[in-house]
Amino acid sequence: MAGKDVIFIGSFHTPELIFEQLSVLYSFPRYLAKSFHFILPYFPTGTMERVDTEGQIATAKTLATLISAIPLTAKGPAQICIFDIHALQERFYFSDNIIPRLESAVPLLLREVDRMADKDNIAYAFPDDGACKRFHHFFGDDNPITCVKIRDGNKRIVKVKDGIKSRKTIHVIIVDDLVQTGGTLKECGKALLEKGAKSVSAYVTHPVFPNDSWKRFVDSDVKFENFWIQIQYLMLERYVNTPI
């Protein structure tokens, strides 16, 4: 790799892999790579980006600090490409020693939707205000459909907050950056169907699904027409702008 431009596709989905791959990442510049790009599709501690009560640990900052220790290359700082990081302000957790590039895989969803027979009868929804603020600009919609969690005693009920009244009998795609157990996503789909949506689908960039929780969407009482996720080779295709 001496004198060459190096691209490394990584995965930090377990602590063991984080240590193993950080050891490799720190070595590339020392083996005289001319430039270095690290593609990390999923930033695993992204949801722990703030401290709400004293004593909590913002592990997003911790991981960003570790990545920021990648040495300089002959052409300058390494570029770190992350897709749909949970909060855009996390870019400021990285030091000036590296260049964070926060990309989105949502354009790949739009490419798929453009191939669908009912593409002119599709609306987009978001499971909360955070997802709406983050993604609604991709869809050119001034009146986005958003859901909200409402506490009812010890329960949290998901209801449709805005945007559905004038769009009944449509196919609604719920968009978010990641899914964990999928409970909120299912409740959002149920609420949309109850409000008159003809069908619902879902898109997430990062399907975490701990403990095989994806099974909640198989033979579910809430039927999802499609469930799109993005995988690393598609993200690489968008990054290098070349079909794979």
Side-chain angles (χ1 to χ4, degrees), residues 45 48-62:
T45 60
M48 287 298 297
E49 83 282 11
R50 64 181 185 271
V51 174
D52 294 319
T53 58
E54 196 63 35
Q56 292 180 329
I57 307 297
T59 51
K61 168 62 175 174
T62 306

Side-chain angles (χ1 to χ4, degrees), residues 13-224:
H13 61 273
T14 67
E16 294 83 2
L17 281 177
I18 292 175
F19 178 79
E20 178 183 277
Q21 293 189 27
L22 279 173
S23 302
V24 174
L25 294 171
Y26 294 166
S27 298
F28 281 124
R30 294 191 174 97
Y31 281 107
L32 304 181
K34 182 169 67 173
S35 68
F36 182 50
H37 293 67
F38 175 37
I39 300 178
L40 181 64
Y42 175 49
F43 191 72
T45 60
T47 56
M48 287 298 297
E49 83 282 11
R50 64 181 185 271
V51 174
D52 294 319
T53 58
E54 196 63 35
Q56 292 180 329
I57 307 297
T59 51
K61 168 62 175 174
T62 306
L63 187 56
T65 300
L66 292 171
I67 294 174
S68 297
I70 296 175
L72 298 175
T73 67
K75 290 181 70 174
Q79 295 188 36
I80 315 301
C81 178
I82 301 172
F83 281 84
D84 293 319
I85 197 168
H86 186 66
L88 290 176
Q89 62 265 28
E90 291 175 48
R91 70 169 70 246
F92 302 110
Y93 292 170
F94 297 89
S95 77
D96 293 337
N97 196 56
I98 58 99
I99 299 174
R101 291 181 53 178
L102 305 186
E103 304 283 351
S104 179
V106 169
L108 296 175
L109 167 67
L110 296 176
R111 187 177 71 180
E112 291 299 310
V113 169
D114 192 54
R115 299 170 180 170
M116 297 175 63
D118 63 344
K119 64 180 182 180
D120 295 325
N121 196 36
I122 287 176
Y124 299 91
F126 307 95
D128 52 49
D129 288 331
C132 180
K133 291 177 183 178
R134 178 71 184 281
F135 295 117
H136 84 274
H137 67 278
F138 283 102
F139 307 104
D141 192 343
D142 295 330
N143 187 29
I145 303 171
T146 55
C147 296
V148 62
K149 292 180 181 177
I150 299 174
R151 184 174 293 279
D152 182 11
N154 294 326
K155 296 181 180 180
R156 283 190 176 183
I157 301 173
V158 176
K159 293 187 176 182
V160 179
K161 176 184 175 184
D162 297 308
I164 192 67
K165 293 182 179 179
S166 60
R167 310 189 203 190
K168 294 185 178 180
T169 68
I170 53 173
H171 182 179
V172 181
I173 301 176
I174 307 167
V175 178
D176 205 358
D177 62 325
L178 63 84
V179 58
Q180 294 273 2
T181 62
T184 299
L185 204 58
K186 281 187 63 177
E187 289 301 315
C188 186
K190 183 178 179 181
L192 288 165
L193 291 171
E194 290 175 349
K195 284 291 185 178
K198 182 178 179 181
S199 58
V200 293
S201 293
Y203 164 85
V204 296
T205 303
H206 306 297
V208 182
F209 286 136
N211 302 318
D212 291 334
S213 55
W214 58 268
K215 293 179 179 178
R216 299 180 66 172
F217 293 91
V218 179
D219 297 325
S220 169
D221 57 325
V222 181
K223 181 182 178 182
F224 283 76

